[in-house]
């Protein structure tokens, strides 16, 4: 999704901005641009396509020490040079980059157009540039404040003014803005990925805050000009973590990082003495946790699917009714929030707009919500009362892999913790704990078989459609397997409960529609065999992901090791991730930045 980077200091801003934009590429975007103060006014360059296409338009010598940059993911208006940010007013005195959506843009734009203002783009952002330029205040920050008080919607913005060439103004409402503090230089960005190369000292803006940055310092106030007390925090991220190392793609690197990532998620959280888990950040006393009668997971995309699996795990272990719901569906149905329901917000980035809005809906109605988050210090993490961090390290590929499996690991820990306070015996707790300890090593064994999965991925790459089926946990694995395949290879993939196949989809099963069957070694194996027979009878090719040989012959069989039954999804997803990756390579898809998708969806 859209990304912002801004720099004010003593160095040439252009290469710093371009490098910052590269660091934001992973979020998904379709055009890019920068604006820099130079002698004689603002210089603005932008282009549809990748950052390198915008870079090709930059003059060799563009000197200026103050500038802003943007990667745009189209919302208002198609991807084009005109719609790319920065946007300026008619005299090109004001330049604005913006993440988010201005909801009352239509009415405000119509008014300006009626007064004779000519717009050059279809964006809601251009409106901000015209409105700020029309303000008559002495300072840029006052002018921006005055405009932002009149707009509704979500924004993170950065603004340059040709009449104030020493400064940048940034503001936040619903879309993240973080200030980076370096030696004689200040940065602003929508994502620490763009700053981490230069500094680890950051200040997060809160909603309704605005900041003025010069090369000598920064000041944060509210939109009502009340000074905000901000304490810088240190981000524990290494620039190298945003590097592909020797891997062809971030997706592949992150798939192979999973054993280490899961080991980090587990570190210090297993309590063998009582066969339970230790979770320091929940901020709820054990006795208070026991009063909850239901649990609900909220998230979007893969985070929602991880919640589906998490709900099944926790329900089995803690014998508390659990379910998961897409965060956007939840927030728009005026949900009944019960005091004895515990909500978990699941989000890699901690910035997904719909998940945040669902959290706020729960909190507004007096409910308790905890975060399962990867990004430390992110908005959802700060909004929740407590929670569990994944510690997976940065995930750069648009599609989620390592954070998905780390989220499942966290749910296993929560299930173990709650279960051991209820009916799970010490012996049963120990069985899960031991399986968790062995999990990273088992994951590595599966990943070592990449060649086998790559061949399968290539073999299935020519199909246009695929079904993924499973029962119970297996169905949730099928959901994530199908999502991975469609996200990166653009093969139409649909997940179905295996039991539902004959109630409709079987009509579409032919020799041209393979089915990927998730067949854990549980008490439903026979039922799954019956479904596979039904598919074979219609000439449908079947690829089975199983935990042992199957009594039925299938086109392809991938066997993963036995583990605790609740952890089987972790091992079964590894081949599915690699199959999706290699199918996408065979189809020459942009694996790390699939078309139309964004890493972090910060708009509705
Ligand atoms: C986007 C990404 C998905 C991700 C979802 C939720 O759609 O493309 O991979 O699962 O957002 O993101 P979150 O950061 O909340 O986990």
């Amino acid at each position: 999704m859209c990304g912002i980077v801004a720099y004010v200091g003593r160095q040439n801003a252009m290469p710093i901005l371009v490098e910052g934009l590269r660091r934001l590429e992973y979020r998904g975007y379709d055009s890019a641009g920068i604006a820099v103060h130079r002698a004689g006014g603002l210089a603005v360059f932008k282009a549809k396509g990748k950052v390198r296409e915008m870079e090709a338009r930059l003059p060799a010598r563009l000197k200026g020490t103050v500038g802003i940059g943007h990667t745009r993911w189209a919302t208002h208006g198609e991807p084009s040079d005109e719609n790319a940010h920065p946007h300026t007013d008619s005299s090109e005195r004001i330049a604005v980059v913006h993440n988010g959506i201005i909801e009352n843009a239509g009415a405000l734009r119509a008014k300006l157009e009626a007064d004779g203002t000519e717009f050059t783009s279809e964006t809601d952002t251009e409106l901000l540039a015209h409105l700020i330029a029309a303000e008559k205040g002495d300072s840029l920050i006052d002018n921006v404040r005055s405009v932002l008080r009149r707009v509704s919607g979500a924004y993170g913005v950065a603004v340059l003014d040709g009449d104030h060439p020493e400064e940048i103004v940034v503001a936040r409402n619903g879309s993240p803005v973080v200030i980076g503090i370096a030696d004689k230089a200040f940065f602003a960005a929508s994502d620490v990925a763009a700053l981490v190369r230069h500094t680890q000292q950051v200040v997060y803006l809160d909603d309704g805050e605005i900041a003025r940055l010069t090369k000598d310092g920064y000041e944060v106030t509210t939109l009502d000009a009340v000074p905000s007390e901000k304490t810088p925090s240190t981000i524990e991220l290494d620039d190298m973590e945003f590097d592909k190392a020797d891997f062809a793609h971030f997706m592949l690197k992150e798939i192979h990082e999973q054993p280490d990532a899961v080991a980090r998620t587990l570190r210090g959280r297993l309590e063998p003495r009582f066969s339970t888990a230790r979770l320091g950040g929940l901020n709820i006393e054990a006795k208070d946790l026991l009063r909850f009668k239901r649990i609900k997971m909220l998230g979007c995309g893969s985070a929602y699917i991880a919640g589906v699996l998490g709900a099944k795990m926790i329900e089995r272990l803690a014998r508390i009714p659990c379910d998961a719901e897409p965060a956007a569906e939840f927030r728009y149905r005026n949900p009944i929030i019960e005091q004895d329901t515990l909500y978990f917000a699941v989000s890699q980035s901690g910035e997904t707009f719909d998940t945040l809005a669902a959290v706020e809906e729960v909190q507004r109605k007096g409910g308790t919500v905890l975060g399962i988050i990867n990004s430390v210090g992110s908005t959802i993490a700060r909004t929740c009362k407590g929670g569990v961090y994944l510690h997976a390290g940065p995930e750069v590929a648009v599609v989620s892999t390592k954070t998905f499996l780390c989220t499942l690991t966290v749910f296993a820990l929560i299930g173990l913790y709650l279960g051991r306070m209820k009916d799970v015996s010490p012996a049963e707790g120990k069985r899960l704990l031991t399986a968790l300890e062995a999990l990273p090593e088992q994951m590595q064994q599966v990943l070592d078989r990449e060649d086998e999965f790559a061949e399968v991925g290539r073999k299935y790459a020519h199909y246009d459609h695929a079904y993924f089926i499973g029962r119970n946990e297996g169905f949730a694995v099928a959901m994530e397997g199908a999502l991975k395949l469609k996200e990166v290879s653009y093969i139409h993939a649909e997940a179905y409960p295996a039991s539902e196949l004959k109630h409709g989809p079987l009509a579409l099963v032919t020799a041209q529609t393979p089915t990927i069957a998730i067949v854990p070694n549980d008490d439903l194996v026979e039922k799954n065999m019956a479904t596979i027979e039904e598919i074979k009878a219609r000439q449908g090719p079947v690829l089975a992901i199983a935990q042992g040989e199957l009594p039925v012959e299938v086109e392809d069989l991938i066997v993963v090791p036995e583990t605790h039954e609740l952890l089987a999804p972790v091992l079964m997803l590894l081949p599915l991730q690699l199959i999706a990756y290699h199918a996408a390579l065979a189809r020459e898809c942009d694996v790390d930045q699939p078309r139309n998708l964004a890493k972090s969806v910060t708009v509705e």
Side-chain angles (χ1 to χ4, degrees), residues 300-303 346-350 352 355 398-400 487 598-599 601:
C300 301
S302 286
V346 187
S347 176
Q348 182 286 126
S349 62
T352 300
T355 310
V398 164
V399 299
S400 157
E487 281 177 312
K599 180 71 184 158
V601 180

Side-chain angles (χ1 to χ4, degrees), residues 4 104 252 467 569:
I4 290 176
N104 56 348
L252 189 62
Y467 278 116

Side-chain angles (χ1 to χ4, degrees), residues 379-427:
T379 309
I380 300 175
R382 288 183 289 139
T383 308
C384 289
K385 178 183 160 74
V388 185
Y389 279 122
L390 305 183
H391 300 308
E395 189 173 70
V396 175
V398 164
V399 299
S400 157
T401 53
K402 65 174 176 172
T403 58
F404 189 94
L405 296 193
C406 289
T407 306
L408 298 191
T409 308
V410 165
F411 281 132
L413 290 168
I414 295 172
L416 178 62
Y417 179 61
L418 291 177
R420 284 288 293 120
M421 288 194 281
K422 300 181 80 186
D423 288 342
V424 173
S425 68

Side-chain angles (χ1 to χ4, degrees), residues 99-178:
N99 290 357
I101 292 178
I102 304 298
E103 279 158 9
N104 56 348
L108 290 169
R109 180 174 175 137
K111 192 164 177 306
L112 283 186
E113 281 175 334
D115 293 344
T117 303
E118 282 187 20
F119 281 74
T120 56
S121 77
E122 301 158 85
T123 66
D124 49 349
T125 306
E126 186 184 344
L127 170 81
L128 296 177
H130 292 295
L131 289 173
I132 295 167
E135 289 292 316
K136 301 277 184 280
D138 290 337
S139 72
L140 174 60
I141 195 165
D142 281 343
N143 291 342
V144 177
R145 267 198 204 103
S146 161
V147 168
L148 292 182
R149 280 200 293 260
R150 279 151 53 203
V151 302
S152 58
Y155 55 76
V157 288
V159 186
L160 295 184
D161 181 344
D163 287 350
H164 298 276
E166 303 286 308
E167 65 188 63
I168 300 168
V169 167
V170 294
R172 167 191 169 130
N173 188 44
S175 189
V177 174
V178 55

